[in-house]
Amino acid sequence: MRFDIITLFPELFGPLLTAGITRRAYESALVDVHLHNPRDFASGNYRRVDDRPFGGGPGMVMMAEPLEAALLAIRAQRQDTVPVVLFSPIGAPLHHGAVEQWSRSAGAILLCGRYEGIDQRFIDKYVDQQISLGDFVLSGGEIAAMALLDAVARLQPGVLSDADSHHQDSFNPALDGLLDCPHYTRPEEWSGVPVPPVLMSGHHARIEEWRRAQRLQLTALHRPDILDKARAQGHITAAEERLLHPKD
């Protein structure tokens, strides 16, 4: 897959593409990332990419012309049809199911806004989809783009050291979409607190029972909405309901 990223700050992506375990995906081009600065497509001596908003108000607005020139150049290189994605507060929140879909896609053209935003005429003409990371505002779309790339990269074959590792992640359908359970490692006792004895037992069925119970309890405590969804899909047994509501 190929992701083309339109950004005024391509240097921000350097550490993402060269550090950490997911760099395997980028170095091998399993996730092929190309960076494009709209300033390179701007006209005039100052290569201006932003201007004051009509109607007044604070800040600057990214201009349509350089963005269009960058987009058309990308499309000429790709010679395929992929969506143009803008990271925006009005977009649908990114979730695991969407990440899985992206991980099986041909990629996209990711547009990273800055300043007060992007000229709405460009959005209306070219943007196919908008994505949000949540109900808060970032300085630009770069961090959101990196979040999508990282989430997609770790699902690619051979990227994680253990191929089945991501199946144990929170939100994964393999765990009925529940939160993951707690994890422990050496030493066996730290700060006066021992590792739960069941994890030292070597009894795999009991260990998995304990982990399932922990996932259920953590999800009920922290994300009851996710538990309700798993319940509606028939993933929670009567015995597990009794575990969650022992006094009922």
Side-chain angles (χ1 to χ4, degrees):
M1 69 185 65
R2 171 172 166 168
F3 286 93
D4 287 272
I5 303 171
I6 300 176
T7 170
L8 290 171
F9 299 97
E11 63 273 15
L12 293 178
F13 290 84
L16 173 79
L17 301 177
T18 57
I21 197 166
T22 52
R23 75 183 187 282
R24 297 173 180 173
Y26 312 123
E27 290 174 351
S28 65
L30 273 171
V31 181
D32 192 15
V33 177
H34 297 254
L35 302 168
H36 311 269
N37 192 333
R39 200 174 298 279
D40 295 334
F41 298 88
S43 58
N45 293 334
Y46 297 102
R47 294 193 174 276
R48 192 164 189 171
V49 294
D50 62 308
D51 210 330
R52 295 184 182 278
F54 284 121
M60 306 290 275
V61 176
M62 292 182 71
M63 301 165 65
E65 291 93 339
L67 293 174
E68 181 181 58
L71 175 60
L72 295 179
I74 292 167
R75 285 181 167 172
Q77 290 176 14
R78 293 190 64 121
Q79 298 182 337
D80 63 1
T81 302
V82 292
V84 176
V85 177
L86 173 65
F87 297 98
S88 160
I90 73 170
L94 187 63
H95 55 80
H96 181 81
V99 170
E100 283 197 322
Q101 290 178 1
W102 284 115
S103 74
R104 298 189 295 268
S105 74
I109 299 170
L110 307 181
L111 176 56
C112 301
R114 279 274 163 175
Y115 314 127
E116 288 300 308
I118 293 170
D119 190 308
Q120 185 64 38
R121 293 168 293 184
F122 179 86
I123 297 173
D124 293 341
K125 184 175 181 179
Y126 289 114
V127 171
D128 301 300
Q129 184 176 346
Q130 300 192 48
I131 294 176
S132 170
L133 292 191
D135 294 343
F136 58 94
V137 177
L138 296 166
S139 298
E142 286 79 10
I143 291 175
M146 285 186 247
L148 176 60
L149 289 175
D150 184 78
V152 166
R154 65 191 307 280
L155 296 184
Q156 301 307 305
V159 172
L160 300 182
S161 300
D162 185 336
D164 293 325
S165 179
H166 66 81
H167 293 299
Q168 303 301 313
D169 290 342
S170 295
F171 315 117
N172 198 296
L175 299 181
D176 297 330
L178 303 175
L179 299 179
D180 196 8
C181 62
H183 299 279
Y184 299 84
T185 187
R186 297 179 187 276
E188 294 178 17
E189 182 175 314
W190 179 80
S191 195
V193 181
V195 171
V198 66
L199 298 179
M200 310 292 293
S201 69
H203 195 300
H204 296 297
R206 288 179 185 168
I207 290 171
E208 186 47 44
E209 265 181 33
W210 179 88
R211 287 175 171 166
R212 175 70 176 184
Q214 292 292 311
R215 291 178 188 121
L216 288 164
Q217 291 166 354
L218 282 172
T219 305
L221 178 63
H222 297 287
R223 290 294 303 274
D225 58 311
I226 294 177
L227 185 63
D228 288 342
K229 183 177 180 181
R231 193 177 274 130
Q233 293 172 342
H235 296 317
I236 310 301
T237 67
E240 289 171 341
E241 291 288 7
R242 290 192 291 272
L243 172 68
L244 292 168
H245 306 284
K247 295 181 181 179
D248 294 350

